[in-house]
Every structure is written in structure tokens, then in C-alpha cells.
């Protein structure tokens, strides 16, 4: 069975997730937003205490706030970055993104995608899987990760509690985002727990009924 633990990091309040197979202790780190040595130590301590082996580093998308801890995870655990190649231009321009948001965090190296994730791929964590869905619109390469056996979905900045992702950043597309949410996410079971990139968790059923951005 997959288990999940969330952490909130950096000034943007990014939700970083550790997902692991309780039987094998293999784990994935998703959207590492750590922005300080203390953040790094908190994540590392949790992984060590739970005796996890990190086998995946996954980004739902490559906006700066979701990638600040990528270098630490790759260097510490030897995991290549897994993401959609349509966001590669964002990973290559992390310094520019940081300047755009007025962040003073020193030089950031460009990100290189080591494993390219696409619709229909499965990320194996031990004997369990996260199914990859492409839901562009917040960014061209935005991904959603669905765990059917555990009944949860990690939505990045696609779907939030009572809101959806912004579409005014480079590569954003509001129509495309809504289409993906309606055709892919809202077709999941109502009791599917939604773990978003920012803010509290929710469920698919709650968002179908109560999200003002989705009521037609």
C-alpha cells in the first residue's frame, strides 16, 4: 500500500510529498520545494527515520517554487529528474524565473530532465504505481499523478481546494486547463483524495460540487 507524507516549504508554501510503498520502503520525492539547509534536513530526517530508499524524483511541473530542492534530492539520493519535456524550457530558465518573482537565492543551475514522463506512463514505487496524466494549462507540461490503489491524486498546480491553477504565466492556457480538469480529474471517483501543490487537501467529489471555478 502506498503511503504519503506532505511538507510545506519556501515562501510560496509549496507542498512537497514523499510517497512510499510500505512493504518495500521504496519512495518518491515529488515537487521538492526546500529552500534552506533546515528544509533539507527536515526532509532527510523523515526519510532516514522511516528507513526509506528514494528511487524517484518527480516534478509535476518546473516552475521555480516546485524545483528549489531538486538539486539536493538528486545529489543526496542519486535520482534523475522525472518530468514532462514540454516544461524543459522552464527548468532551463530557473534563474530567470527567480528574478521574475524577486527571489534572492543565488545562482540556480538549469534542470535537465533525465526521465521524460508522458500520459499513460506508470511510476513504480516498489510494487505500487502512480499513473501519469498530462493536464497542461498551468504550464505546458503539467502532470497529475494518480494512485488508484491508494485512492489519491497529486495535482501539482492544476487543481486546488476551491480553486484551479493560474494561467497567466508563460505557456499558460486557461481553456486547456479546464478541459483537462473536466475530462481527466473530475472523472475520478468522488472519494479520491486530492493533494495539491499548495494549500490543504480535498476530494474530487468536493471540488466537483463546490469549486466555483468548475461550476458550469
Amino acid at each position: 500500500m502506498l503511503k504519503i507524507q506532505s511538507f510545506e516549504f519556501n515562501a510560496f508554501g509549496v507542498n512537497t510529498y514523499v510517497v512510499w510503498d510500505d512493504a518495500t520502503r521504496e519512495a518518491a520525492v515529488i515537487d521538492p520545494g526546500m529552500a534552506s539547509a533546515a528544509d533539507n534536513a527536515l526532509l532527510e530526517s523523515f526519510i532516514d527515520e522511516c528507513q526509506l530508499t528514494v528511487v524517484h524524483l518527480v516534478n509535476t511541473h518546473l516552475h521555480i517554487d516546485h524545483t528549489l530542492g531538486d538539486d539536493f534530492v538528486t545529489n543526496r539520493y542519486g535520482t534523475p529528474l522525472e518530468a514532462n519535456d514540454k516544461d524543459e524550457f522552464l527548468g532551463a530558465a530557473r534563474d530567470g524565473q527567480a528574478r521574475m518573482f524577486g527571489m534572492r537565492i543565488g545562482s540556480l543551475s538549469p534542470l535537465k530532465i533525465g526521465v521524460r514522463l508522458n500520459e499513460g506512463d506508470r511510476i513504480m514505487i516498489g510494487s505500487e504505481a502512480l499513473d501519469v496524466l498530462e493536464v497542461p494549462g498551468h504550464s505546458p507540461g503539467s502532470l497529475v499523478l494518480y494512485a488508484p490503489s491508494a485512492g489519491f491524486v497529486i495535482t501539482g498546480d492544476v487543481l486546488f481546494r476551491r480553486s484551479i491553477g493560474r494561467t497567466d504565466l508563460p505557456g499558460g492556457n486557461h481553456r486547456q486547463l479546464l478541459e483537462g480538469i473536466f475530462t481527466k480529474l473530475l472523472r475520478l471517483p468522488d472519494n479520491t483524495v486530492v493533494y495539491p501543490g499548495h494549500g490543504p487537501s480535498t476530494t474530487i467529489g468536493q471540488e466537483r460540487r463546490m469549486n466555483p471555478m468548475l461550476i458550469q
Side-chain angles (χ1 to χ4, degrees):
M1 174 66 74
L2 285 179
K3 293 191 172 182
I4 186 168
Q5 176 67 42
S6 66
F7 301 85
E8 184 179 310
F9 291 127
N10 73 54
F12 293 90
V14 165
N15 291 330
T16 293
Y17 296 101
V18 178
V19 177
W20 72 97
D21 178 0
D22 200 35
T24 67
R25 316 308 287 178
E26 287 191 353
V29 178
I30 299 167
D31 287 349
M34 302 88 72
S36 68
D39 290 348
N40 294 341
L42 179 61
L43 182 77
E44 185 177 23
S45 176
F46 176 82
I47 290 168
D48 289 347
E49 288 175 5
C50 293
Q51 298 182 315
L52 304 179
T53 300
V54 177
V55 295
H56 296 285
L57 161 61
V58 183
N59 271 114
T60 60
H61 63 296
L62 296 184
H63 284 151
I64 181 68
D65 51 333
H66 290 253
T67 70
L68 288 170
D70 278 23
D71 301 295
F72 173 80
V73 175
T74 293
N75 292 335
R76 175 66 179 83
Y77 301 106
T79 48
L81 170 61
E82 303 177 37
N84 184 271
D85 60 4
K86 296 182 186 70
D87 269 10
E88 198 157 34
F89 77 102
L90 294 170
R94 284 204 293 173
D95 270 342
Q97 289 191 63
R99 288 193 299 271
M100 181 174 69
F101 287 108
M103 301 171 67
R104 298 181 180 179
I105 51 178
S107 178
L108 289 170
S109 60
L111 291 176
K112 294 183 179 179
I113 298 174
V115 177
R116 298 175 185 276
L117 296 175
N118 299 289
E119 178 87 17
D121 288 343
R122 306 196 88 192
I123 300 168
M124 298 305 301
I125 306 173
S127 60
E128 302 287 338
L130 294 175
D131 293 339
V132 176
L133 305 175
E134 291 187 39
V135 188
H138 174 67
S139 74
S142 285
L143 301 176
V144 165
L145 309 174
Y146 176 46
S149 63
F152 68 78
V153 61
I154 297 171
T155 58
D157 286 0
V158 169
L159 179 66
F160 304 117
R161 183 181 182 273
R162 312 298 186 265
S163 188
I164 64 174
R166 62 187 293 184
T167 56
D168 60 336
L169 297 173
N173 186 309
H174 187 73
R175 180 201 57 78
Q176 193 177 41
L177 178 61
L178 286 175
E179 180 181 359
I181 292 172
F182 277 104
T183 60
K184 296 181 181 181
L185 293 185
L186 296 190
R187 292 183 178 178
L188 300 178
D190 274 3
N191 62 354
T192 303
V193 179
V194 174
Y195 291 107
H198 304 266
S201 61
T202 181
T203 67
I204 290 294
Q206 288 180 39
E207 297 316 301
R208 182 184 290 110
R209 295 187 301 271
M210 304 172 68
N211 191 319
M213 305 296 292
L214 304 178
I215 296 173
Q216 295 182 323

